[in-house]
Amino acid sequence: MTTSENFYDSVGGEETFSLIVHRFYEQVPNDDILGPMYPPDDFEGAEQRLKMFLSQYWGGPKDYQEQRGHPRLRMRHVNYPIGVTAAERWLQLMSNALDGVDLTAEQREAIWEHMVRAADMLINSNPDPHA
Ligand code: HEM
């Protein structure tokens, strides 16, 4: 994966990534597919982990690396059966989250393209457990 050193700052840094993941996780507990997959007593921790990962990916602080080590996202998702339906739902909630953030079309597209690629890579279950 490549990172763009200036992208993190150019979209508004910490504030922007906090907002994206906050808007995303606001929707998760009430989601019929994703809600039950996340740790009910640690939504805040999950929010923090996604924020650290995205910040680091886009050239911000390396807190994720320091606290969690190498991302190995596929490995970290093996305990969650993810089919096309869950991946599409994850992306839908993320798209909703991005709609609430002040980004240029190009910035949104760059973030979105990464999300789609990552979600696709994380599909680990066929047949689809949520179909
Ligand atoms: C495809 C649908 C997806 C599902 C159903 C899913 C589900 C989950 C669940 C249930 C967790 C555990 C929450 C926690 O305790 O941290 C998790 C963690 C995580 N997910 Fe996903 N996820 C998906 C896609 C993605 C994508 C696209 C990304 C990156 C762009 C991502 C990044 C992460 C990260 C960084 C963590 C925390 C890993 C750690 O350090 O333990 N996920 N995901």
Side-chain angles (χ1 to χ4, degrees), residues 25 34 37-39 42 45-46 49-50 53-54 64 68 73 76-77 80 82 86-87 90 114-115 118-119 122:
Y25 273 107
L34 300 184
M37 295 172 81
Y38 284 80
D42 196 21
R49 288 185 278 279
L50 183 59
F53 169 78
L54 292 174
Y64 187 89
R68 308 291 292 166
L73 283 193
R76 291 190 201 266
H77 286 79
Y80 313 109
I82 302 174
W90 195 101
H114 170 238
M115 298 294 187
L122 293 176

Side-chain angles (χ1 to χ4, degrees), residues 4 9 14 25 29 37 71 76-77 84 100 108 112 115 119 128 131:
S4 156
D9 289 328
E14 214 255 322
Y25 273 107
M37 295 172 81
R76 291 190 201 266
H77 286 79
V84 175
R108 190 189 199 283
W112 181 245
M115 298 294 187
D128 186 336

Side-chain angles (χ1 to χ4, degrees), residues 7-75:
F7 189 83
Y8 176 81
D9 289 328
S10 72
V11 297
E14 214 255 322
E15 203 182 320
T16 297
F17 284 94
S18 293
L19 190 58
I20 294 171
V21 297
H22 190 67
R23 289 272 161 91
F24 175 79
Y25 273 107
E26 255 174 6
Q27 307 168 78
V28 171
N30 296 322
D31 188 88
D32 59 336
I33 291 177
L34 300 184
M37 295 172 81
Y38 284 80
D41 53 354
D42 196 21
F43 275 106
E44 267 179 42
E47 184 170 327
Q48 185 65 15
R49 288 185 278 279
L50 183 59
K51 177 183 144 183
M52 288 191 299
F53 169 78
L54 292 174
S55 299
Q56 177 173 306
Y57 178 83
W58 289 108
K62 305 222 179 300
D63 297 353
Y64 187 89
Q65 173 89 10
E66 276 159 29
Q67 293 182 33
R68 308 291 292 166
H70 191 282
R72 289 180 297 179
L73 283 193
R74 236 184 110 81
M75 189 274 282

Side-chain angles (χ1 to χ4, degrees), residues 79-122:
N79 291 330
Y80 313 109
I82 302 174
V84 175
T85 308
E88 281 178 354
R89 182 64 64 83
W90 195 101
L91 287 170
Q92 179 60 57
L93 301 195
M94 185 51 78
S95 177
N96 297 342
L98 290 172
D99 285 344
V101 180
D102 191 18
L103 299 166
T104 68
E106 290 76 16
Q107 290 168 340
R108 190 189 199 283
E109 186 55 29
I111 293 175
W112 181 245
E113 199 261 339
H114 170 238
M115 298 294 187
V116 171
R117 234 177 335 112
D120 216 43
M121 172 195 82
L122 293 176

